[in-house]
Amino acid sequence: MAGFRIIELAAPFLPIMPEIELPYDKLPFDDKVVYTILIGLFYIFSQLPIAGINTNGITSNAIEGDPLYYLRGIFAMGPSKTILEFGLFPIVSSTLILQLLAGMKLIKVNFKNSQDRQLFQSLTKIVSVFLYIILTNIFIATGYFGANLSLLSILLINFQIVSMGIFTILLVEIIDKSYGFGSGIMCITVMNTATNFVDNVFGVASINVDTVVGGNYTESRGAFINLTQNLRSSRFSLIGGIVSAFTRDYLPNLTHVSIVALIFFIVCYWQNYNMEVTIRSTRTRNINNVYPIRMLYTGGLSIYFSFILIALINISIYVFLNITHLSNKYYVLENNTLLIPKFPFNLLTPPKAFYPDLFTKQILTLLILPIFIIITSCWFSLQWMNISGASPKDIALQFKEQSITIAGKREQAIKQELNNKIRPAAIAGGLVLGGIVSLGELLGLKGDAAGIVVAVTSGFALLELVTIEYQQSGGKSALTQILGAPGGKY
Amino acid sequence: MAKSTSSASAGNNNTNVEKIVSGEAPLEFVKEGVSFISKCKKPNQKEYMKIIRAVGIGFVGIGIIGYAIKLIHIPIRYLIV
């Protein structure tokens, strides 16, 4: 096994794996904007229902309930039983975990060698495809797509989910290979979270709620639209209508939406926390400048990591309980849609609501979930700080190339000094983001807290890239001339 | 102390574990983060409003585009199912 490396596993798949070609030339600003917006194509497909599900004569919870409800927001999964069932989860987890392993030298990759880079990239894609296949089949086995499926339906379901998965992988790759801004995962997450937010506030789709509240009623999905409807409807009194709009738990309510908005504002505020390090040029005297070190140094990736772990653990529990036929005993179906685990298995499940669910059914979650999220996100931040392209070592090298030094430090001490400054930043970022996400989840946001945190941090990164690109392209953009924007958003 | 600040790598595992068990490391760890936060430069109100406006408009704008695409889908879903 001396010369064997894990990335070699990808080699046989190289010829059959579809790949996006790098653009021949640097794309103009307008094209990039169009490509980035077209990521919305994703939505056209994410809503299509899966064909081949057998819903007849089922009594178990498995077919009706959705055990992944708290992961749908953050991993851009479509609604339950649609062809984008697993969303970006396989892609995000394979990318993040493989990069982490490579960074920790558990997988040996020489990123300076272009063949190695290509192998690693293909390995990531192949692992994502395999994850799609594995997830689909274990969910088929648990009866999520219906009992007594014929071989044809099993193949059909596999085909739909996996081909959609490959399509999504390629869609992400288009953006990654500099046709768009930033990374594809980032763009899709921002778009998905923004859409969900608009949907939760102003969504006009009316949904039949008779199974939940009794009687023959429909309510709008959007919390704000629902409030205005309640005020006019004869079903509620004035006060009752307002209270219902704030407290209904089967669809987004106003409390939910306002907590999400509050987290948005807080993370926007934190995003601009930075520590300024005074730097000066070694060539010219008396010119001091500042180099900002952000508090959210690793951004929302740490939250992604925590949720990947939570997802893996909870999916394993789900599969284990189904294989041992305990799922009817340990899962309860709430509101006809959410499949919620019972006591020993719900420690890492974000509760459905702050009150009464958190206190009556899963009080231990109050302790375990925050500890888990904060520890994993801090650990990840610390690891990522050394792996990512902005590690202290890289920045020190950059400084050296541009003949910059930190004021009052010798050139040799730069790396150490940067490490001393960046390490606390990574810890602080992991702490505050982990803290706010766990607080939000405990308040019953069902995964939206994590979604909004990741979306805001990615959104800022995107905005930064767009601004830089815009300034470089100058006034050549036809789009901005039409829209009449004088100088970017800043 | 010097060890814990110098590197976060998985090196000196034993000492780290001892520290974590004794409760010394996590506290130190949190302290490091908190002291960083207190030393940070915070945005003032004017800057903050500007940022919120830019990001908020962008966010809601993208959301409306996404929702428009999603809306097209409601009739399609009815046709299929």
Side-chain angles (χ1 to χ4, degrees):
Chain A
M1 295 287 274
F4 179 77
R5 296 178 309 161
I6 292 177
I7 51 167
E8 305 279 345
L9 285 176
F13 293 95
L14 271 185
I16 52 164
M17 206 60 204
E19 203 187 326
I20 307 285
E21 294 269 329
L22 277 168
Y24 289 115
D25 221 353
K26 202 169 166 292
L27 266 81
F29 181 77
D30 291 1
D31 288 18
K32 281 196 166 187
V33 172
V34 173
Y35 271 110
T36 311
I37 289 176
L38 278 186
I39 205 89
L41 263 183
F42 174 78
Y43 262 108
I44 303 248
F45 299 102
S46 81
Q47 305 280 315
L48 287 173
I50 290 182
I53 297 178
N54 179 13
T55 47
N56 299 329
I58 309 289
T59 47
S60 73
N61 297 334
I63 179 87
E64 296 196 346
D66 174 12
L68 303 176
Y69 63 94
Y70 48 87
L71 301 171
R72 299 209 174 264
I74 178 168
F75 293 117
M77 298 176 176
S80 180
K81 272 77 169 198
T82 52
I83 61 173
L84 206 68
E85 182 68 55
F86 303 112
L88 291 180
F89 174 67
I91 305 176
V92 176
S93 46
S94 73
T95 314
L96 214 57
I97 288 177
L98 283 178
Q99 288 212 16
L100 194 64
L101 292 179
M104 291 165 77
K105 305 275 189 298
L106 293 172
I107 298 178
K108 290 197 181 66
V109 191
N110 181 5
F111 282 106
K112 284 180 186 122
N113 182 340
S114 78
Q115 206 198 342
D116 266 28
R117 270 206 312 271
Q118 205 194 356
L119 276 176
F120 184 72
Q121 200 188 43
S122 304
L123 182 72
T124 314
K125 276 174 11 187
I126 290 159
V127 172
S128 333
V129 173
F130 272 105
L131 270 175
Y132 273 113
I133 297 174
I134 293 169
L135 281 174
T136 312
N137 287 300
I138 59 176
F139 272 74
I140 288 175
T142 59
Y144 179 73
F145 295 113
N148 307 324
L149 290 172
S150 64
L151 184 66
L152 186 69
S153 339
I154 291 179
L155 287 178
L156 193 63
I157 293 173
N158 262 302
F159 171 73
Q160 291 172 77
I161 295 183
V162 175
S163 56
M164 185 61 205
I166 293 175
F167 175 79
T168 316
I169 292 172
L170 293 178
L171 204 62
V172 167
E173 206 181 334
I174 290 180
I175 304 290
D176 282 345
K177 292 216 164 152
S178 71
Y179 286 95
F181 296 106
S183 84
I185 294 172
M186 226 155 77
C187 291
I188 291 183
T189 312
V190 172
M191 182 137 202
N192 183 58
T193 313
T195 307
N196 279 349
F197 184 72
V198 170
D199 194 7
N200 287 351
V201 182
F202 300 111
V204 289
S206 47
I207 290 160
N208 204 335
V209 291
D210 51 357
T211 47
V212 189
V213 292
N216 192 13
Y217 294 112
T218 56
E219 282 187 19
S220 284
R221 188 177 159 78
F224 184 72
I225 307 284
N226 179 47
L227 175 70
T228 55
Q229 273 179 350
N230 282 359
L231 290 180
R232 287 185 301 153
S233 110
S234 55
R235 194 178 128 206
F236 293 109
S237 65
L238 183 68
I239 306 287
I242 295 172
V243 168
S244 163
F246 275 94
T247 55
R248 62 173 185 173
D249 64 352
Y250 37 92
L251 284 172
N253 59 37
L254 277 174
T255 324
H256 179 127
V257 175
S258 22
I259 297 174
V260 172
L262 191 69
I263 293 179
F264 174 86
F265 289 128
I266 294 174
V267 178
C268 277
Y269 190 61
W270 281 347
Q271 182 73 36
N272 291 281
Y273 270 34
N274 52 42
M275 174 119 89
E276 290 178 342
V277 179
T278 317
I279 53 172
R280 61 182 180 79
S281 171
T282 46
R283 294 211 192 107
T284 41
R285 277 163 184 277
N286 297 330
I287 300 177
N288 282 349
N289 212 333
V290 287
Y291 182 83
I293 293 174
R294 286 222 190 95
M295 178 173 79
L296 305 184
Y297 200 73
T298 46
L301 286 177
S302 51
I303 297 304
Y304 253 147
F305 180 71
S306 301
F307 266 72
I308 287 171
L309 293 185
I310 290 181
L312 290 177
I313 294 171
N314 281 338
I315 290 175
S316 317
I317 290 176
Y318 176 72
V319 172
F320 168 76
L321 286 181
N322 272 290
I323 287 172
T324 50
H325 298 289
L326 289 169
S327 68
N328 278 344
K329 197 173 156 201
Y330 280 108
Y331 277 100
V332 269
L333 188 66
E334 300 242 4
N335 298 342
N336 280 327
T337 46
L338 313 177
L339 200 59
I340 299 176
K342 280 191 195 160
F343 171 59
F345 302 109
N346 61 9
L347 295 177
L348 286 178
T349 315
K352 182 177 74 113
F354 181 61
Y355 186 82
D357 292 73
L358 177 63
F359 289 99
T360 53
K361 289 171 194 155
Q362 41 189 109
I363 188 77
L364 269 181
T365 312
L366 190 61
L367 205 66
I368 307 282
L369 189 70
I371 292 177
F372 182 84
I373 293 182
I374 290 174
I375 287 180
T376 47
S377 74
C378 279
W379 182 82
F380 179 83
S381 288
L382 278 176
Q383 296 297 330
W384 199 257
M385 147 201 141
N386 289 318
I387 297 168
S388 68
S391 67
K393 209 168 95 193
D394 296 321
I395 299 177
L397 215 67
Q398 239 176 56
F399 277 14
K400 203 173 173 190
E401 277 165 10
Q402 300 170 357
S403 0
I404 295 170
T405 177
I406 296 173
K409 297 282 169 196
R410 280 179 301 122
E411 231 174 286
Q412 290 78 5
I414 290 181
K415 191 183 150 196
Q416 187 56 41
E417 182 62 21
L418 279 171
N419 198 12
N420 288 348
K421 292 261 189 328
I422 291 176
R423 198 182 118 89
I427 297 173
L431 276 181
V432 294
L433 289 188
I436 197 156
V437 167
S438 19
L439 185 71
E441 293 307 340
L442 290 178
L443 288 175
L445 295 191
K446 290 183 268 195
D448 280 2
I452 194 89
V453 167
V454 173
V456 173
T457 48
S458 321
F460 266 101
L462 274 181
L463 193 64
E464 222 161 74
L465 287 171
V466 174
T467 326
I468 291 171
E469 193 90 3
Y470 178 77
Q471 282 162 354
Q472 280 174 356
S473 76
K476 275 178 267 169
S477 159
L479 264 181
T480 43
Q481 278 170 14
I482 294 167
L483 298 173
K489 270 173 183 161
Y490 272 116
Chain B
M1 282 246 210
K3 262 183 192 167
S4 72
T5 47
S6 66
S7 145
S9 66
N12 39 46
N13 256 337
N14 279 333
T15 49
N16 278 352
V17 170
E18 273 168 33
K19 276 185 176 176
I20 288 170
V21 172
S22 66
E24 182 194 339
L27 244 167
E28 201 182 291
F29 193 77
V30 173
K31 248 187 230 160
E32 212 177 317
V34 171
S35 77
F36 178 87
I37 298 173
S38 62
K39 276 186 270 176
C40 269
K41 188 176 148 285
K42 284 116 190 152
N44 61 31
Q45 202 186 353
K46 209 177 137 199
E47 284 167 344
Y48 181 59
M49 292 322 278
K50 212 169 129 189
I51 292 158
I52 283 286
R53 221 176 47 213
V55 179
I57 291 172
F59 197 74
V60 174
I62 294 173
I64 289 171
I65 294 174
Y67 188 62
I69 299 176
K70 218 173 168 181
L71 267 188
I72 300 171
H73 235 278
I74 295 176
I76 296 178
R77 234 187 123 113
Y78 273 109
L79 284 178
I80 298 174
V81 185

